[in-house]
Amino acid sequence: MNVAIIGTGYVGLTTGVCLAFLGNHVWCLDTDQEKIRSLHAGRPTIYEPWLAELLAQASRNLCFTTSYEAAIPKAQIVFIAVGTPPEPGGAPDLRYLRSAAQSTGQHLSDDFTVVVNKSTVPIGCGNWVEALIRESFEAHRRQKPNGRFAVASNPEFLREGTALRDSLYPDRVVIGADEPRALDVLYSLYRPLIEQSFPAPTFLPRPEGLGAVPLVSTDLASAELIKYAANAFLALKISYINEIGELAEKVGADITQVAKGIGLDARIGTRFLQAGLGWGGSCFGKDMSALVATAGEYGLRMPIVEAGREVNFRQRERVVKKLLAEMKILKGKTVGLLGLAFKPNTDDLRDAPALDIARRLVERGCRVRAHDPVALERARRESDGLEIGFCDAPAEVGKDADALVLVTEWPDYRDLDWELLAKSMRTPFLVDGRNFLDRDRLTRAGFRYIRLNG
Ligand SMILES: NC(=O)c1ccc[n+]([C@@H]2O[C@H](COP(=O)([O-])OP(=O)(O)OC[C@H]3O[C@@H](n4cnc5c(N)ncnc54)[C@H](O)[C@@H]3O)[C@@H](O)[C@H]2O)c1
């Protein structure tokens, strides 16, 4: 099929590359010329395991452009995957979505096109996008679109760091539209994924035993709500174990064992039940705010979702309190952060706990240094003048530091030369924000080692 993807960020690029790999002809469109230039040259613009390999393999089916005129008229399906960042009040900023919808309306061809919201958009946005496209089409063509297009929702559930795996081997595919023709077109596109009938890339083998992928085919509003409800639930699970973790610390219980004991109940499950610094990233916080804002429009409150957010952000201040309790005075001290990305295997720094913690420490007069295996370059560009000394190696973070905080659980950090690090520090003290390192090993290396949850 001919597919156009508007917005070539984490979601748009991953989707485009996977659909091209499956044999579709894909136009990836972005207003950011630098991104398009880089992708043209075969250079991925984000860090994502195996993206460069899949990009190379699918390149003959991929075109990158900044031109709506080039991408839209040929497309049978247009995905909108632009950003929907939060506004200060919590509601998502829909200006990119508006602009993408209006430009799509200008360039629609006479053949039936399905326009799909892949961006996470508030409930009702499908209808809004439909109206924007219709108005824009009418303004440019001086006629009504008369069944030339339909709008669908196809929420994205990929996780950064495993985005390609999640896209090729999803837990489910959700499509929503009020027009059956749109659902049929999307079903045809996703059929190889649903039936798992495509040859898997050698570097991303199909998980053993994976059969057909469940399809949820529903109406527009339900598809839109599924995305928000799923993200809020996952975020709540993390906040819940963090709240239990705080109590575990008080009563002297081991939160790792408690989480295991809870999670082995098949009704609960062990995933998203790791206590620690909590979630960050571009989605959970923004989607929970949007859910609360949407409910507010209907006069509803969502106290559970609101509490989940509050508990999450409390975790970041708890790290600072742990440092304060141990070091007494933070002014003039040097704290090293291990990890900047909001989670391992990505370079995404949106709402990264590391930057928030760094800000809180700098405000208290600390010097902050930080290392990350892949996000350093992005951090230098995106840390908004925050005074952080960026270090190319973990050893530099530790040199003469008064404390370290493990912020991101990069696997490489498990096997650092901890003895050497301890010797290089002024005081070998480490707060493990992810309950990730081996307590005995760190203690043997000479560290005073504490976890966020005792
Ligand atoms: N990142 C994730 O893990 C993830 C997962 C699921 C859903 N989502 C949702 O998907 C959407 C996209 O997220 P992302 O992380 O890929 O965002 P992103 O910021 O990485 O990418 C968005 C891209 O859209 C481009 N863009 C903006 N306006 C445009 C326009 N009018 N025309 C063409 N391109 C335009 C930007 O230049 C940018 O490259 C958001 O709604 C997000 O909530 C994200």
Side-chain angles (χ1 to χ4, degrees):
M1 293 181 115
N2 285 321
V3 178
I5 309 219
I6 305 178
T8 312
Y10 284 86
V11 168
L13 184 57
T14 305
T15 306
V17 170
C18 286
L19 289 175
F21 171 76
L22 293 174
N24 302 287
H25 192 263
V26 181
W27 284 81
C28 287
L29 161 65
D30 206 289
T31 42
D32 183 334
Q33 296 200 351
E34 199 40 57
K35 268 190 192 176
I36 293 301
R37 236 193 309 272
S38 171
L39 290 164
H40 243 310
R43 284 192 308 273
T45 40
I46 50 171
Y47 175 80
E48 190 59 46
W50 304 114
L51 181 59
E53 288 79 356
L54 205 65
L55 186 65
Q57 208 158 319
S59 63
R60 70 195 155 88
N61 286 338
L62 273 168
C63 296
F64 296 100
T65 184
T66 54
S67 158
Y68 275 83
E69 206 177 344
I72 303 301
K74 295 183 205 69
Q76 295 156 277
I77 305 180
V78 175
F79 282 100
I80 301 181
V82 297
T84 48
E87 285 178 339
D93 178 350
L94 298 176
R95 86 182 96 153
Y96 307 105
L97 183 67
R98 174 198 292 271
S99 157
Q102 288 172 334
S103 307
T104 301
Q106 268 180 48
H107 296 286
L108 273 189
S109 72
D110 285 337
D111 298 326
F112 180 64
T113 309
V114 182
V115 182
V116 189
N117 269 336
K118 206 171 215 348
S119 297
T120 304
V121 294
I123 297 116
C125 269
N127 305 74
W128 183 60
V129 162
E130 203 263 340
L132 289 171
I133 297 175
R134 187 166 17 84
E135 285 160 14
S136 159
F137 182 90
E138 285 174 6
H140 280 81
R141 300 276 290 267
R142 309 231 169 271
Q143 55 174 308
K144 292 198 180 301
N146 286 339
R148 279 188 178 85
F149 79 97
V151 172
S153 163
N154 171 217
E156 180 54 63
F157 301 102
L158 66 76
R159 295 160 299 170
E160 290 176 19
T162 51
L164 297 174
R165 195 175 294 281
D166 294 341
S167 298
L168 291 174
Y169 312 117
D171 288 340
R172 80 297 210 188
V173 172
V174 176
I175 52 179
D178 295 338
E179 161 132 16
R181 250 197 318 171
L183 293 172
D184 292 345
V185 173
L186 279 176
Y187 179 73
S188 305
L189 178 75
Y190 280 125
R191 200 168 163 169
L193 272 187
I194 291 165
E195 295 176 352
Q196 286 293 306
S197 54
F198 63 91
T202 45
F203 43 84
L204 281 169
R206 180 169 286 115
E208 216 169 300
L210 179 70
V213 169
L215 171 73
V216 180
S217 182
T218 182
D219 59 278
L220 253 181
S222 302
E224 289 171 347
L225 183 52
I226 285 169
K227 174 63 191 172
Y228 282 107
N231 266 7
F233 191 83
L234 291 170
L236 284 176
K237 233 181 139 180
I238 298 173
S239 286
Y240 176 72
I241 200 65
N242 281 336
E243 190 168 284
I244 296 292
E246 239 183 303
L247 180 62
E249 185 180 8
K250 299 277 183 230
V251 302
D254 178 344
I255 188 61
T256 316
Q257 291 302 315
V258 174
K260 191 173 167 189
I262 300 171
L264 286 172
D265 184 329
R267 293 171 300 176
I268 296 174
T270 50
R271 290 164 77 189
F272 282 72
L273 216 54
Q274 281 76 40
L277 256 167
W279 39 266
S282 68
C283 291
F284 283 179
K286 134 179 120 57
D287 293 351
M288 289 169 97
S289 301
L291 195 57
V292 169
T294 302
E297 288 170 18
Y298 294 85
L300 273 182
R301 272 200 61 218
M302 301 199 89
I304 298 179
V305 179
E306 284 170 27
R309 278 173 53 81
E310 191 198 314
V311 169
N312 189 62
F313 296 116
R314 208 161 68 194
Q315 294 301 92
R316 300 175 184 184
E317 187 55 28
R318 283 186 68 212
V319 169
V320 178
K321 286 197 178 132
K322 293 258 173 202
L323 291 168
L324 203 56
E326 179 76 18
M327 295 156 74
K328 311 296 180 212
I329 290 183
L330 290 177
K331 270 191 189 31
K333 300 276 173 70
T334 300
V335 176
L337 305 182
L338 290 171
L340 284 162
F342 85 92
K343 68 174 182 179
N345 293 320
T346 182
D347 60 349
D348 198 341
L349 292 163
R350 290 176 285 184
D351 194 20
L355 294 183
D356 202 359
I357 292 168
R359 193 169 297 113
R360 289 166 199 252
L361 290 172
V362 168
E363 277 167 13
R364 285 169 184 264
C366 264
R367 290 198 185 87
V368 177
R369 287 193 213 128
H371 169 265
D372 190 282
V374 304
L376 274 183
E377 202 185 310
R378 193 175 279 267
R380 285 190 177 104
R381 287 198 310 267
E382 293 181 9
S383 50
D384 278 343
L386 189 60
E387 269 183 57
I388 302 179
F390 294 111
C391 304
D392 292 320
E396 287 173 42
V397 178
K399 195 161 181 303
D400 297 326
D402 299 279
L404 288 178
V405 181
L406 182 119
V407 184
T408 316
E409 64 277 37
W410 282 99
D412 293 0
Y413 288 155
R414 273 221 165 95
D415 298 316
L416 295 180
D417 188 339
W418 290 110
E419 284 76 12
L420 206 67
L421 258 172
K423 282 196 192 102
S424 74
M425 291 176 68
R426 216 187 327 254
T427 40
F429 168 52
L430 185 141
V431 181
D432 186 345
R434 299 288 177 184
N435 300 340
F436 175 70
L437 300 169
D438 181 337
R439 184 189 299 274
D440 292 343
R441 177 147 176 223
L442 271 279
T443 311
R444 274 201 311 277
F447 273 92
R448 163 146 170 70
Y449 171 86
I450 63 167
R451 292 184 159 184
L452 192 54
N453 297 295

